[in-house]
Amino acid sequence: MNIVVEFFVVTFKVLWAFVLAAARWLVRPKEKSVAGQVCLITGAGSGLGRLFALEFARRRALLVLWDINTQSNEETAGMVRHIYRDLEAADAAALQAGNGEEEILPHCNLQVFTYTCDVGKRENVYLTAERVRKEVGEVSVLVNNAGVVSGHHLLECPDELIERTMMVNCHAHFWTTKAFLPTMLEINHGHIVTVASSLGLFSTAGVEDYCASKFGVVGFHESLSHELKAAEKDGIKTTLVCPYLVDTGMFRGCRIRKEIEPFLPPLKPDYCVKQAMKAILTDQPMICTPRLMYMVTFMKSIPFEAVVCMYRFLGADKCMYPFIAQRKQATNNNEAKNGI
């Protein structure tokens, strides 16, 4: 193709992509079905991971839950089974009432499987993934959600905690994706969800390890998305989830300027997950919550000193300091309690 003609074709495709993106904001696309598909969620024992599990359960997905905490993971599984029982009862009632025109999945397909897995350990991930393939089947939807935060200033943070943050928040995405992507490629079907953070798009003081891990996983996700497009594997979708501060307790104590806080409060976990689910089920490539977070990408194009001035005005420059102080106090109290 002549390069001039190709240029105009590409220009048209770029403009058309903008039109489609604008249309998504005005007209909500139809959500796809994940009923009967195997959905694996890491960090499913609490927080956003638990809420993702409940949302996928309501949509009749077959769930595989990974967490390092066996007890909390089983608690999530119990909640999922309760949802499955309600769905089964509703199906039975619909059939009895003669409203069974729509396809109803048999109860045997509504199952939840739990695995205790430390995603920060590569071999643990690969061994557990092999168990999943043998005991459950191939994974169609992979939600990489597990995350940790050290809560220390850089020079006070033990090297082991820095490594742990990078392993769980970033490296684990490599291991899980390498474990389950090959089959997705074979059948050209699947969905990989990366739960990152707004701190993977912009940074703040005091959480160098956390920001580095989230920046890293955003880069991983974007590169993976490009690789799938280059391979013309359009049946495999990817969604990057970048929420603002979520009120899960992970960053308890984090505060911005009190006059600004009412306009930018921490996100409710339920709201965050519901917005993410809308993006996942409509194959949206990226979701920032709230929408104001989309603007932070433009901050990279303005002078650093201007960004610093904005941070100071918002109280975002030291917003993590109260959180770090609380973590330090809690650590000191535990050491005193244990006689260390």
Side-chain angles (χ1 to χ4, degrees), residues 5 22 34 81 89-90 96 104 122 149 166 184 197 218 220 246 263 293 303 324 331:
V5 176
V34 291
R81 293 186 183 102
Q96 189 173 8
I104 297 176
R122 183 178 66 250
V149 61
M166 296 301 298
M184 293 184 186
S197 168
V218 168
F220 164 78
V246 185
F263 302 99
M293 292 298 106
I324 294 172
T331 300

Side-chain angles (χ1 to χ4, degrees), residues 69-88:
N69 187 316
T70 303
Q71 181 178 343
S72 61
N73 205 29
E74 289 296 339
E75 289 172 359
T76 301
M79 297 176 186
V80 168
R81 293 186 183 102
H82 180 76
I83 291 174
Y84 286 165
R85 286 193 293 270
D86 287 346
L87 289 173
E88 184 188 30

Side-chain angles (χ1 to χ4, degrees), residues 16-36:
W16 184 243
F18 276 99
V19 171
L20 292 177
R24 293 177 68 98
W25 286 55
L26 300 174
V27 181
R28 181 180 172 185
K30 182 181 178 181
E31 294 186 354
K32 66 183 181 183
S33 172
V34 291

